[in-house]
Amino acid sequence: MNNNEIIKHVRGESFFIDDMNTPEDVLYGTVFTSPVPHGKIENIDIGNALKIKGVVKILDYHDIPGDNQIGAIIKDEELLSDGVVKFIGEPILLILSEDPDSGKKAAEEIKIEISPLPVITDPRESFRKGNLIVPARTFDYGDVDTAWEKCDVVVEGRVESGGQEHFYMETQASLAYPVENDGVRVHSSTQSPTAIQKTVSNVLGIPMNRVEVDVRRLGGGFGGKEDQATPWAAMAALGSYLTKRPVKLVLSRSDDIRNTGKRHPFSSDFRIGLDSSGKIVAYEATLYQNCGAYADLSTAILERALFHSTNSYFIPNVRVTGVSCYTNLPPFTAFRGFGGPQAMFVIESAIRKAAGEMGTDPVHIQRVNLLKEGDIFPYGMKTENCSIRKTWDILREKFGVEKVFKDIREFNNNSKQVKKGAALMPVAFGISFTNKMLNQAGALVHIYTDGSVSVSTGAVEMGQGVNKKMINVAAETLSIPVSLVRVETTNTTRVANTSPTAASSGADLNGMATRTACINLAERLRRVAAEKFGSKPDKIKFENGRIYDSGGDGVLNWVDLIGAAYSERVSLTSQAFYATPDIYFDKSSEKGKPFAYHVFGTALVEAELDVLRGVYKFNRVSIVHDTGRSLDQQTDLGQIEGAFIQGLGWMTVEELLFEEGGVLITGGSSTYKVPDIKFIPEEMNVEMLQSAKNPYAVLGSKAVGEPPFMYGIGGYFAVQNCISAANQDSVLDYNCPVTPEKVLISLLKK
Ligand code: MTE
Ligand code: LUZ
Ligand code: MOS
């Protein structure tokens, strides 16, 4: 199959913001940001900066005609600081210049005096000082307090997981134009066109109908542009609105890495209790979420962490508490998995530690606790079409899991300098935005008189192939070749009030809306054909661009049918809406059915360690993943492999380091390592379980964007197994990423 988007990317033909033609009068935006992690601005001197040739204007918060506010969930973040800065990289001034270089020079000439305030970077310290975004939340199920007595083994521990830089190929970028009647048009690399429309309207103090946001595609988002494309777009819009000139604002890689949020680091405590058969009887955990300086999406991310704190296991007694702690780091934000990976790393660590204590194979504990059909999650939702055991068993048979472990033991018995290890990682991930309101989407479909079809939805293409999936849905529903269908830019004037393309539900929600719009069109066309054949609408069949009468011998081709419909003055446009049915959640009891359904799967990750150097590689990964009826197999394969690698990177080599005072040490590709082609396992086996039933997404498909990320967690434990094989005395800790340096240290530990 031919994924048009990807072929264009490879050929370098795809357009991103920075490739767009800019008018001659364009101005360039440069953002002057805080050099300190916390402080009060005493004085700013822009005198010398204004003298630089090419500098047109330098804006501060006084220039904002509307609200100086960008907080999406909690209104705690200014667009341009009005006095107190809380992280290094916080925007203070917007420099507008005729060329990008003079903006940069001007920024260097700005003199700022800031009196320092105390800096906190550790979430536990912030917690002790009561510096929380909202009060702690607790999910409670069964009776944990009395359950400990029934356990044969109880172990406790601490787990740390690091942040993660999104490292999308295209940095944050926007281009804003003034349009007549006091409006603006904004092109942005954003996952949330409507969020930008709302924020720009609010910042400029103009109604939303004067703000048009248009998105062609993103050079990657991964959650980093769900909320954090907004400030840059709002600044470009502000500059454009005030100067009546186009303004382009594209962050350099180093500014992007320094000024924007990443995956939240978590620090967690757990206690787990099991009976002698390996059944988990009770589980308790406290998650300290390092939120950075502003709320951003942190509270929603913490909520999803709580939802996924028992991963794919049934545990009868659970209490998990989460706290969202402010610190003086960039506001951490959405990143593939959205808190799910952080919470799953905690329960997987707890299982490993318990297995060590009991002298049991962790694989055994994982297996006996896997969810069964009808089991209940701690938040009250029942599993349905639960395929976790099926994916586990298929993996076991198809990829000879037992033999893999046996071969590894034999290999390790005969090898001193190289040790091997492997781990299994089952995953259950809930699909729907946990904020019910966001589970809605719209589509607008036109059929032109030549039979070609135009589809607009609220979904944003960011490399995940959602456009290809929309094409497939429209083509299948109208029974026409995919070559007749084109997906337009995502534009707030065509599809309004859109949710971000996120929570893996872009294809689900927008696909449903697209399908409904196409069904409406097909119904109208069926009536036209019936009229023409002198037959009944329910006798009309669509097949491969051919329309025929199953009750007679009338036949039409697609183009003639469209021509007939047009002559008969039948509307060839349909707009449709979709809202996920039957989801609800009661925050007072923390119970409900927050997800339309779950995605399941299991991975086997195999690693090999060079004991002298501490370096490791991943030889093979085998994944059985429940895709439902795939909307596009090539795309889904890419999503499963890509998400796994990104998860593996988070667990192993991607180390985000801040100095004590909040200075980012790993601010570029020379200091922050992302997986490269050589890091990818030599052998990647992916088995898609397409038979899994799913009535809750379009055409029986299942969301695929985020769930496979968490297979990467298996990589951590595979490396840990190598370490144990090399040094039985090494004390295993649960602190990702497990970089080669850390491996070497634990190998040397006695
Ligand atoms: N794949 C690519 N190539 N680039 C991306 O930015 N984002 C991921 C995932 N896959 C991403 C990606 C994230 S975080 C999400 S939520 C989903 O795609 C969003 O798209 P979907 O809802 O259409 O699956
Ligand atoms: N974004 C969001 C998400 O706003 N709510 C969610 O539940 C979610 N889940 C995953 C990724 N992004
Ligand atoms: Mo993805 S983290 O939902 O953008």
Side-chain angles (χ1 to χ4, degrees):
M1 260 199 241
N2 170 1
N3 186 336
N4 311 334
E5 280 282 330
I6 286 165
I7 287 175
K8 278 196 296 186
H9 292 355
V10 174
R11 290 190 179 142
E13 290 169 1
S14 305
F15 267 67
F16 299 91
I17 300 280
D18 212 24
D19 302 313
M20 290 177 70
N21 288 327
T22 43
E24 274 196 0
D25 59 341
V26 71
L27 289 174
Y28 292 85
T30 305
V31 187
F32 176 79
T33 64
S34 173
V36 303
H38 195 192
K40 186 167 175 297
I41 301 173
E42 302 291 355
N43 190 39
I44 307 180
D45 177 1
I46 58 170
N48 287 345
L50 280 173
K51 286 182 204 142
I52 306 266
K53 189 168 164 283
V55 173
V56 173
K57 242 187 164 90
I58 299 182
L59 306 176
D60 70 12
Y61 73 95
H62 294 105
D63 297 300
I64 293 173
D67 261 357
N68 181 22
Q69 182 52 239
I70 59 167
I73 300 178
I74 289 161
K75 305 256 166 267
D76 68 347
E77 188 174 1
E78 290 143 11
L79 179 65
L80 296 173
S81 175
D82 74 0
V84 175
V85 282
K86 295 187 177 170
F87 71 95
I88 294 175
E90 179 167 347
I92 301 172
L93 303 172
L94 175 64
I95 304 165
L96 299 171
S97 59
E98 303 282 355
D99 60 286
D101 281 348
S102 44
K104 252 183 248 148
K105 272 186 218 144
E108 282 161 22
E109 291 298 326
I110 289 169
K111 294 191 192 73
I112 187 161
E113 286 165 41
I114 301 178
S115 48
L117 290 165
V119 176
I120 298 182
T121 55
D122 171 17
R124 290 181 190 249
E125 187 187 344
S126 153
F127 173 73
R128 283 193 294 275
K129 299 202 163 126
N131 212 355
L132 303 183
I133 298 176
V134 289
R137 277 179 79 175
T138 299
F139 282 21
D140 230 317
Y141 183 71
D143 183 353
V144 184
D145 294 321
T146 61
W148 302 116
E149 290 158 27
K150 295 182 219 146
C151 301
D152 296 311
V153 188
V154 176
V155 296
E156 296 180 348
R158 180 163 169 162
V159 180
E160 307 287 339
S161 61
Q164 186 177 23
E165 166 58 38
H166 298 87
F167 237 105
Y168 28 64
M169 282 296 160
E170 180 194 29
T171 57
Q172 302 282 357
S174 50
L175 176 58
Y177 293 86
V179 296
E180 59 184 63
N181 295 328
D182 218 19
V184 284
R185 186 170 81 246
V186 184
H187 298 268
S188 164
S189 178
T190 181
Q191 294 173 237
S192 312
T194 294
I196 290 184
Q197 185 190 20
K198 260 190 198 145
T199 301
V200 168
S201 137
N202 194 44
V203 163
L204 300 184
I206 59 175
M208 284 171 76
N209 67 1
R210 283 203 238 143
V211 184
E212 174 184 352
V213 181
D214 187 87
V215 183
R216 168 79 273 175
R217 66 166 64 74
L218 281 54
F222 306 112
K225 297 168 182 171
E226 181 172 339
D227 209 37
Q228 298 208 2
T230 303
W232 320 106
M235 284 181 229
L238 174 70
S240 172
Y241 188 74
L242 295 178
T243 59
K244 299 290 167 223
R245 290 172 67 171
V247 171
K248 181 169 172 173
L249 203 164
V250 177
L251 293 189
S252 67
R253 177 65 63 188
S254 57
D255 283 350
D256 188 298
I257 292 186
R258 200 178 67 129
N259 304 348
T260 69
K262 299 124 202 345
R263 179 184 298 284
H264 291 77
F266 272 56
S267 179
S268 310
D269 297 317
F270 69 80
R271 182 197 265 189
I272 192 169
L274 301 89
D275 67 18
S276 56
S277 75
K279 278 254 180 204
I280 305 173
V281 178
Y283 178 64
E284 192 168 31
T286 307
L287 316 176
Y288 299 88
Q289 179 194 31
N290 189 338
C291 298
Y294 296 103
D296 194 88
L297 299 170
S298 293
T299 51
I301 290 162
L302 183 79
E303 182 175 53
R304 189 174 276 278
L306 294 173
F307 280 124
H308 292 101
S309 54
T310 54
N311 187 12
S312 53
Y313 308 108
F314 174 70
I315 308 180
N317 303 288
V318 178
R319 186 191 294 133
V320 285
T321 297
V323 280
S324 295
C325 312
Y326 278 124
T327 57
N328 297 108
L329 295 175
F332 292 103
T333 193
F335 197 139
R336 213 171 194 168
F338 208 73
Q342 290 95 322
M344 289 187 196
F345 183 51
V346 181
I347 180 91
E348 292 299 326
S349 297
I351 289 173
R352 264 54 179 213
K353 189 152 187 192
E357 199 90 354
M358 296 169 77
T360 309
D361 187 349
V363 173
H364 170 73
I365 298 179
Q366 288 177 306
R367 178 70 181 99
V368 299
N369 291 287
L370 284 180
L371 288 162
K372 288 194 293 289
E373 183 72 6
D375 274 348
I376 295 183
F377 287 98
Y379 46 91
M381 181 171 169
K382 246 193 195 163
T383 57
E384 196 184 330
N385 297 317
C386 177
S387 54
I388 189 66
R389 287 172 176 246
K390 198 164 169 188
T391 60
W392 178 287
D393 291 342
I394 294 175
L395 182 82
R396 190 173 146 265
E397 278 158 37
K398 197 152 179 151
F399 299 105
V401 171
E402 264 110 86
K403 182 159 186 316
V404 168
F405 280 101
K406 187 166 159 274
D407 289 350
I408 287 175
R409 277 192 299 274
E410 268 168 31
F411 177 91
N412 286 344
N413 284 339
N414 299 312
S415 167
K416 267 211 145 101
Q417 305 207 341
V418 177
K419 295 288 184 183
K420 288 187 176 179
L424 281 159
M425 182 65 199
V427 171
F429 193 80
I431 301 302
S432 286
F433 287 93
T434 60
N435 177 352
K436 179 177 165 178
M437 172 186 81
L438 295 175
N439 296 289
Q440 52 174 308
L444 177 68
V445 179
H446 303 308
I447 307 173
Y448 294 104
T449 52
D450 66 354
S452 64
V453 175
S454 149
V455 176
S456 295
T457 74
V460 165
E461 176 59 53
M462 57 186 120
Q464 89 281 37
V466 71
N467 283 0
K468 184 65 170 48
K469 290 186 173 182
M470 295 305 100
I471 289 173
N472 289 352
V473 168
E476 178 169 335
T477 309
L478 296 171
S479 299
I480 53 174
V482 290
S483 58
L484 282 179
V485 187
R486 177 185 150 94
V487 176
E488 309 295 344
T489 62
T490 313
N491 186 299
T492 53
T493 67
R494 263 179 274 116
V495 180
N497 310 324
T498 59
S499 296
T501 300
S504 303
S505 57
D508 277 26
L509 298 172
N510 294 281
M512 281 286 205
T514 301
R515 178 150 169 90
T516 306
C518 292
I519 288 173
N520 295 342
L521 288 164
E523 283 309 312
R524 287 178 216 158
L525 294 171
R526 196 167 274 127
R527 284 197 294 271
V528 172
E531 185 92 355
K532 217 156 159 83
F533 299 149
S535 177
K536 293 225 159 59
D538 60 357
K539 294 271 186 283
I540 305 302
K541 299 276 179 277
F542 285 63
E543 206 180 87
N544 284 333
R546 217 171 122 267
I547 295 87
Y548 66 92
D549 178 11
S550 63
D553 42 29
V555 180
L556 271 173
N557 68 35
W558 172 254
V559 178
D560 293 338
L561 174 63
I562 298 307
Y566 180 70
S567 316
E568 294 299 323
R569 300 186 302 169
V570 170
S571 165
L572 291 171
T573 289
S574 177
Q575 186 276 339
F577 176 77
Y578 180 73
T580 310
D582 306 325
I583 46 172
Y584 62 94
F585 196 69
D586 173 5
K587 278 197 184 173
S588 58
S589 63
E590 304 285 23
K591 296 275 184 286
K593 182 185 181 287
F595 301 118
Y597 61 94
H598 288 83
V599 169
F600 303 97
T602 307
L604 169 67
V605 188
E606 299 173 49
E608 180 182 306
L609 172 69
D610 177 332
V611 176
L612 288 179
R613 294 175 183 83
V615 294
Y616 48 77
K617 63 176 182 175
F618 295 95
N619 299 323
R620 180 162 55 185
V621 58
S622 305
I623 297 170
V624 178
H625 183 84
D626 173 3
T627 53
R629 180 175 167 258
S630 174
L631 287 178
D632 192 70
Q633 291 191 42
Q634 198 185 42
T635 302
D636 284 352
L637 178 63
Q639 286 294 296
I640 295 165
E641 292 182 348
F644 164 72
I645 294 294
Q646 201 168 32
L648 194 63
W650 172 55
M651 278 284 133
T652 57
V653 291
E654 295 187 40
E655 188 172 35
L656 189 72
L657 286 174
F658 292 94
E659 276 173 21
E660 195 75 356
V663 178
L664 179 64
I665 305 172
T666 50
S669 54
S670 60
T671 45
Y672 186 84
K673 178 113 182 81
V674 288
D676 58 16
I677 191 76
K678 287 197 191 129
F679 184 82
I680 292 172
E682 282 149 34
E683 192 182 332
M684 292 229 261
N685 305 304
V686 176
E687 179 85 10
M688 294 188 204
L689 193 64
Q690 291 220 50
S691 59
K693 286 208 172 38
N694 189 28
Y696 301 111
V698 60
L699 297 169
S701 64
K702 280 196 161 192
V704 72
E706 295 170 287
F709 181 94
M710 282 145 282
Y711 297 139
I713 295 171
Y716 184 92
F717 297 105
V719 171
Q720 237 189 20
N721 286 1
C722 298
I723 298 172
S724 308
N727 176 3
Q728 267 140 18
D729 302 326
S730 71
V731 183
L732 299 176
D733 58 7
Y734 304 97
N735 183 344
C736 78
V738 58
T739 57
E741 294 93 305
K742 284 192 198 160
V743 172
L744 203 54
I745 290 166
S746 65
L747 284 171
L748 298 172
K749 253 189 214 153
K750 279 275 171 307

